[in-house]
Amino acid sequence: MTQGWEWRQPGSPPAGSASPWWSDAPADPWRDPYAPAAYVQQAAAPPEGALEPVSDPDAAPRRGLGMVLLVSVVTALLAGALGGALGYTAGSRSGGGGTLLGGGPDPLSTAVPARAPDSLAGVAKQVLPSVVTVRVAGSGALSVGSGFVVSGDGYVITNEHVVAEATGQVTVAFTDGSTASASVVGKDPESDLAVIKVAAPRDLVPVRFGDSEAIAVGDPVLAFGSPLALSSTVTSGIVSAVDRAIHTGEAGGQVRYYAAIQTDAAINQGNSGGPLVNGAGQVVGVNSVIQSLASDEEQAGNIGLAFAIPINQAKRVAQEIIATGKARRTVFGAQVEGPRVPSGGVRLSAVESGGPAAGAGLRAGDVVTKIDGRVLQEASDLIALVRKYAPGAVVTIEYRRGSGGGKTASVTLAADAK
């Protein structure tokens, strides 16, 4: 403990020696002899070679945290006030307090996106003007189906079951909302195809036909029509199978056979008669029937199993109906047994004398296994595949006779005598 200030410059004489600084201390009027003692410790000298801290005398002084918070609060208040003023001005100009949704005008947002002609949207745009909704009055009820324009003079292809009960007026509605009356030109119940004609046709846009023999499993397709009376509906999918043998109809009624294009595109009641279109915008099939888990036809809906009549067959039948009012049926000239052959193929129970099968050397009991490379499993397979060809077409068949090996023959198909 020391009394007062006891400090001496290093190298100065010790206390008690003659010192000019302390010599007048007793007479110093500012000295308070009762001031508490203080001890001042000199900072340790830095190690030899170390650098002493250096401060920039020109550097701006550091602001305290309080000053930073104050500036932030003031800035936020000013920004809020400015935003409120701008919002009030915009609201006043837009009709007195109306809510403005979205951002300001964007010159790019109003531009219509360019869609390639071979995109789904591009294909739909070019096909929709050719698709019609078919409304048929008959039996005290109005039924709705679909169809598509196939000629500039007003011919329209649809399903036979769409117009089967037509006893009154037939009306077609176009995509633009306009309607026109139509008449039934002819129908073929066995192929489920019919042709109607628009009265006083205007500027009609016919579809472009594709080749149903050129499609393959996995090809993209679009289905057009009016499912559940929802006109101008477009759905997409792929080709699920080709030459799928389909036979429909009720016991005692008309039975229809055709080698169908199977697709998973969503198809429902009302789609019947509408076109199935490939990725190039060409019609490859006529939507005709769906397979459903519902036992009631009125409650049946899409489960991804839909079938279309190949357009090659539909176009041929339509041309015959337009030319003669009816269509020819292609026949093989043999009868087939119903039970499935365990080893595969279809057994001929009878061969008509002078018919196509007899002309190729086939006999009763022969088992036909393939037609143009398509494998046969059921009796309906043979009938359905034959029906898709035109009379006069030559097909290659493979068959077995007794215990002998496989044989090959060429059969020239014919039209029935009806």
Side-chain angles (χ1 to χ4, degrees), residues 87 114 222 224 234 236 244 303 332 340:
L222 295 177
F224 293 76
V234 183
S236 66
R244 180 74 75 192
I303 59 171
F332 186 73
R340 176 179 291 189

Side-chain angles (χ1 to χ4, degrees), residues 83-103:
L86 293 176
Y88 176 80
T89 301
S92 299
R93 292 180 178 179
S94 63
T99 301
L100 179 63
L101 301 180

Side-chain angles (χ1 to χ4, degrees), residues 82-179:
L82 178 60
L86 293 176
Y88 176 80
T89 301
S92 299
R93 292 180 178 179
S94 63
T99 301
L100 179 63
L101 301 180
D106 182 356
L108 296 179
S109 65
T110 58
V112 178
R115 294 178 174 87
D118 58 351
S119 66
L120 296 181
V123 170
K125 182 179 180 181
Q126 62 177 294
V127 175
L128 275 172
S130 306
V131 182
V132 299
T133 300
V134 181
R135 299 186 176 97
V136 180
S139 303
L142 178 67
S143 61
V144 178
S146 305
F148 53 97
V149 178
V150 294
S151 69
D153 53 353
Y155 287 106
V156 172
I157 288 180
T158 186
N159 280 144
E160 187 274 339
H161 73 261
V162 171
V163 297
E165 302 298 327
T167 58
Q169 184 179 13
V170 177
T171 303
V172 295
F174 297 89
T175 304
D176 61 6
S178 62
T179 61

Side-chain angles (χ1 to χ4, degrees), residues 384-396:
L385 285 168
V386 166
R387 295 283 172 87
K388 83 169 189 173
Y389 293 97
V394 179
V395 296
T396 301

